[in-house]
Amino acid sequence: MSKKSEGGAFGKYPVGPDGATVPLDGELLLIEGGDSFLLVGKAGSRFTLCIETMDDEYCQAVDPDDLVAVSMPEGGPTEQARMMLELVRRYHIPLVVLPKDHPGSKGLSMVVSVAPEILLACDIRRGTHPEQHLLCSSTALSGLSLLGVPGGVVMKHLPLGAVVKHLNAENYSADKQQ
């Protein structure tokens, strides 16, 4: 595993008034906070992503610099999150949005968001939201904001104690985090 940034803040990446830009090309970013984590990658290509609700289907355009993020608020195997991320970004698997009071929401171990900018929040109901800029997280990562830009990701409000690592997406099987 290549570790380009570790520590409570942004490591060697300069933090300015607009946050820190962390380089991100073909690899993935693993952002750990306590027992939870967020796995982030660039969409990498332009495609249409369908979002399925109980009443409707709508599709959104995804651009190469948009982010695909998988949040695991209680933690778990990062390999599972990597597979979900690849199902969305490589195979364009549709996202399913459950209604607010659906009993299945409580059992979701991971949730996904695809958008140019993603905000993590711990005070929302677990699930993939139709508002793709919003993603459920643990309290340890709540408030983190990510923006996909050419060549990287702008990170704002990284909580103290969070650790940011780069994972090589192609050689990931050797980089498993359990």
Side-chain angles (χ1 to χ4, degrees):
M1 173 173 55
S2 168
K3 295 181 184 179
K4 292 186 182 176
S5 176
E6 283 192 45
F10 294 102
K12 64 182 180 178
Y13 304 112
V15 179
D18 295 325
T21 300
V22 179
L24 186 62
D25 191 22
E27 68 274 1
L28 304 175
L29 275 184
L30 177 66
I31 305 168
E32 299 172 307
D35 293 332
S36 67
F37 69 86
L38 178 72
L39 191 64
V40 182
K42 291 285 194 96
S45 65
R46 185 167 176 79
F47 62 92
T48 301
L49 179 66
C50 292
I51 299 172
E52 312 295 335
T53 69
M54 296 301 278
D55 302 320
D56 202 3
E57 172 185 65
Y58 61 96
C59 299
Q60 71 180 36
V62 177
D63 289 322
D65 282 318
D66 286 357
L67 302 174
V68 179
V70 178
S71 175
M72 293 190 78
E74 277 93 35
T78 54
E79 176 68 7
Q80 181 182 356
R82 187 198 63 78
M83 285 188 270
M84 178 61 75
L85 190 145
E86 293 300 346
L87 282 171
V88 173
R89 105 171 153 172
R90 192 174 294 189
Y91 301 104
H92 313 150
I93 210 84
L95 298 181
V96 176
V97 177
L98 297 175
K100 281 187 178 184
D101 296 320
H102 194 283
S105 294
K106 295 175 187 163
L108 297 175
S109 63
M110 60 183 157
V111 289
V112 181
S113 182
V114 181
E117 185 169 13
I118 297 172
L119 173 63
L120 277 71
C122 65
D123 58 350
I124 59 173
R125 192 172 307 252
R126 175 138 332 149
T128 294
H129 289 263
E131 305 87 16
Q132 284 293 292
H133 71 283
L134 192 57
L135 185 60
C136 178
S137 73
S138 67
T139 55
L141 295 176
S142 188
L144 175 62
S145 173
L146 305 169
L147 173 66
V149 296
V153 176
V154 175
M155 298 176 59
K156 296 180 186 177
H157 313 293
L158 183 69
L160 287 175
V163 177
V164 179
K165 300 176 184 177
H166 278 82
L167 302 179
N168 184 327
E170 295 303 315
N171 298 327
Y172 189 82
S173 60
D175 295 339
K176 286 185 184 176
Q177 303 277 316
Q178 300 274 357

